[in-house]
Amino acid sequence: MFRTEVLEKVDRDYFNIIVLDAYDVSVQSKNTGHYWTIHNTEYPGEGACVIYHKHRFRHPYHLHGREPSLGRALRSIRKHDEWQMKRGEV
């Protein structure tokens, strides 16, 4: 379960917030327009999560990766954005 104090740290200047609750965070990057869903699995630890990604609204999500916390998942998304923007594929 994502704790309230962790959810409050999601950067609203960087992301459009779609869903923000105890088990799921869905955002859209303002830099790339890509969509992301982070699901809290609570396994193997309390904040463990799975990251799903898609490039366009109508596209299906695909598995992007796993991280031990919401903060690490959001950092992973920012790194992916940087990589996409360097490649010029935004």
Side-chain angles (χ1 to χ4, degrees), residues 31-68:
N31 288 322
T32 62
H34 293 188
Y35 293 86
W36 300 88
T37 292
I38 305 163
H39 176 69
N40 184 309
T41 62
E42 291 193 331
Y43 179 84
E46 182 181 317
C49 46
V50 179
I51 307 166
Y52 299 96
H53 171 240
K54 65 181 178 177
H55 292 242
R56 304 277 183 262
F57 179 76
R58 285 190 162 66
H59 290 182
Y61 278 101
H62 61 269
L63 179 64
H64 179 76
R66 298 175 185 273
E67 290 291 348

Side-chain angles (χ1 to χ4, degrees), residues 2-80:
F2 296 128
R3 296 179 181 184
T4 303
E5 59 270 14
V6 173
L7 292 171
E8 289 172 352
K9 293 180 181 178
V10 176
D11 186 349
R12 287 165 169 76
D13 292 329
Y14 193 88
F15 297 108
N16 291 317
I17 306 298
I18 300 167
V19 172
L20 204 62
D21 67 30
Y23 289 96
D24 295 291
V25 172
S26 293
V27 295
Q28 180 189 28
S29 168
K30 291 181 180 180
N31 288 322
T32 62
H34 293 188
Y35 293 86
W36 300 88
T37 292
I38 305 163
H39 176 69
N40 184 309
T41 62
E42 291 193 331
Y43 179 84
E46 182 181 317
C49 46
V50 179
I51 307 166
Y52 299 96
H53 171 240
K54 65 181 178 177
H55 292 242
R56 304 277 183 262
F57 179 76
R58 285 190 162 66
H59 290 182
Y61 278 101
H62 61 269
L63 179 64
H64 179 76
R66 298 175 185 273
E67 290 291 348
S69 68
L70 179 59
R72 292 271 302 269
L74 294 170
R75 281 193 293 278
S76 175
I77 291 170
R78 286 177 181 256
K79 286 183 179 186
H80 184 273

